Amino acid sequence: MKKFTFTMLAAFLVMVVCSCNKSAIPEKSIFDELTEEEVSKAIAADADFERFYDMICHFNDDIFHSPQGLPGPLTDEQIEQFRPITYSQFFEFHKYMRDTTVWAPLKKQWSEEWAQEGHRYDAQADSIINLYRDAINAAYDKIDSTVSFEQRDSILGAIAPRSVVQFMHREHHGATAEQLEMFRGMVIKENIDPEYIDMFNYIDAKQTEKMNEKDPLCTEFINTLRPREGRGCCKNGGKPGCKAQCPEGKGPEGCKGHEGCDGHEGPHHDCKK
């Protein structure tokens, strides 16, 4: 009986503490600034709020309203759509997204699910890569290290498909097995099956479904700021606000030729400045 009473008391105290912590996080829109007092109170309630608030300040200072006066990745209409998201709401979602007890087993499960079907083209993809391997390696040895990424890709692109060039470049510079898996997927999409879904996009779609169960508005907000393959600003250079994400003048070419991008075509946050 005493053990039961103690357990109930402990559960009650946890509920009280969680309730107090949550009430200390402001219910203001994430697009509105907080006072020093509000920030201090929130950090005192949960130390993780400090890092979280720095991230929100970055959104507001450098993305939504960039110092250069360029538009951010969100249109005015989207900002109004997401304005109802509060610090309290988004902080709870932020902690949920960082909860490894939720995501680690799910990502393992999704990886295993994908593996049952996802590797059916691996042998064909490796065959295509190996077909060009000697020619690309020979070309690498002849390319001057001072040439631009754009020039290098132009030279190699005349020898092999772009996707194979990208794979070989990552392999040449010691990419991880996970990174090579992603670029092998590009080879499959370009040369074997345009509808192929690689492991990363499969897990990404599954994760989005799970996120939607928690909070659809926060999920849409995050995904708007984190464009995926084929939906990125640079990939679709005409989208409003893309100038803030892409190198000026690159348009739909995205990061191609930009220093540190290795000819990558995609969102500017994939590049090294």
Side-chain angles (χ1 to χ4, degrees):
M1 181 66 179
K2 287 183 178 179
K3 184 177 181 181
F4 175 77
T5 303
F6 178 78
T7 302
M8 291 294 291
L9 178 60
F12 174 74
L13 289 174
V14 169
M15 289 175 61
V16 170
V17 170
C18 289
S19 176
C20 291
N21 284 355
K22 188 174 181 180
S23 65
I25 311 300
E27 292 293 343
K28 283 185 177 180
S29 169
I30 56 172
F31 293 92
D32 296 334
E33 291 186 18
L34 299 181
T35 65
E36 289 185 11
E37 182 181 355
E38 287 172 324
V39 174
S40 298
K41 183 179 178 183
I43 293 174
D46 192 323
D48 286 344
F49 187 82
E50 183 172 12
R51 181 181 177 184
F52 167 80
Y53 187 62
D54 285 342
M55 177 183 71
I56 298 298
C57 288
H58 167 66
F59 285 167
N60 280 306
D61 294 341
D62 300 330
I63 298 182
F64 302 149
H65 308 98
S66 67
Q68 296 81 12
L70 296 172
L74 298 185
T75 64
D76 290 341
E77 291 77 12
Q78 286 174 318
I79 288 177
E80 290 308 308
Q81 175 189 355
F82 298 127
R83 188 173 293 281
I85 299 176
T86 66
Y87 284 94
S88 177
Q89 176 185 1
F90 198 40
F91 183 54
E92 182 181 355
F93 191 74
H94 167 75
K95 290 177 77 71
Y96 169 71
M97 290 301 299
R98 295 178 61 197
D99 188 347
T100 55
T101 63
V102 172
W103 297 107
L106 283 175
K107 288 183 178 179
K108 182 176 183 296
Q109 173 191 326
W110 295 332
S111 296
E112 291 171 353
E113 289 175 3
W114 176 84
Q116 294 177 8
E117 291 290 336
H119 291 282
R120 63 189 183 277
Y121 293 125
D122 271 13
Q124 289 171 263
D126 288 341
S127 176
I128 292 171
I129 292 167
N130 290 331
L131 180 66
Y132 297 99
R133 186 176 296 281
D134 290 343
I136 291 179
N137 282 333
Y140 261 118
D141 294 336
K142 297 177 182 178
I143 296 175
D144 192 312
S145 61
T146 62
V147 304
S148 69
F149 294 119
E150 194 167 24
Q151 289 173 309
R152 185 212 65 202
D153 281 356
S154 177
I155 294 169
L156 296 177
I159 298 172
R162 174 184 170 82
S163 58
V164 175
V165 170
Q166 292 296 309
F167 178 92
M168 289 287 293
H169 180 68
R170 265 63 184 190
E171 186 180 58
H172 188 78
H173 287 280
T176 65
E178 187 178 62
Q179 291 168 332
L180 290 178
E181 183 67 56
M182 179 175 68
F183 284 95
R184 184 179 284 105
M186 291 172 58
V187 174
I188 294 171
K189 289 178 191 176
E190 181 177 330
N191 300 280
I192 303 171
D193 182 1
E195 303 301 320
Y196 177 75
I197 304 297
D198 63 33
M199 180 176 68
F200 305 94
N201 280 317
Y202 179 83
I203 291 177
D204 190 66
K206 289 289 187 179
Q207 185 175 15
T208 296
E209 289 178 13
K210 184 69 176 175
M211 289 160 61
N212 267 319
E213 293 175 9
K214 176 70 174 177
D215 191 323
L217 188 59
C218 284
T219 298
E220 186 175 357
F221 174 65
I222 288 178
N223 288 344
T224 300
L225 294 178
R226 186 173 62 98
R228 280 130 167 111
E229 181 182 352
R231 299 192 310 176
C233 263
C234 297
K235 189 96 172 179
N236 306 307
K239 293 174 80 174
C242 287
K243 289 182 180 179
Q245 282 187 293
C246 307
E248 186 175 356
K250 297 297 181 185
E253 285 295 301
C255 300
K256 186 176 179 181
H258 186 67
E259 183 180 357
C261 293
D262 302 337
H264 176 69
E265 182 178 319
H268 184 55
H269 57 69
D270 285 341
C271 308
K272 298 175 184 177
K273 293 183 179 180

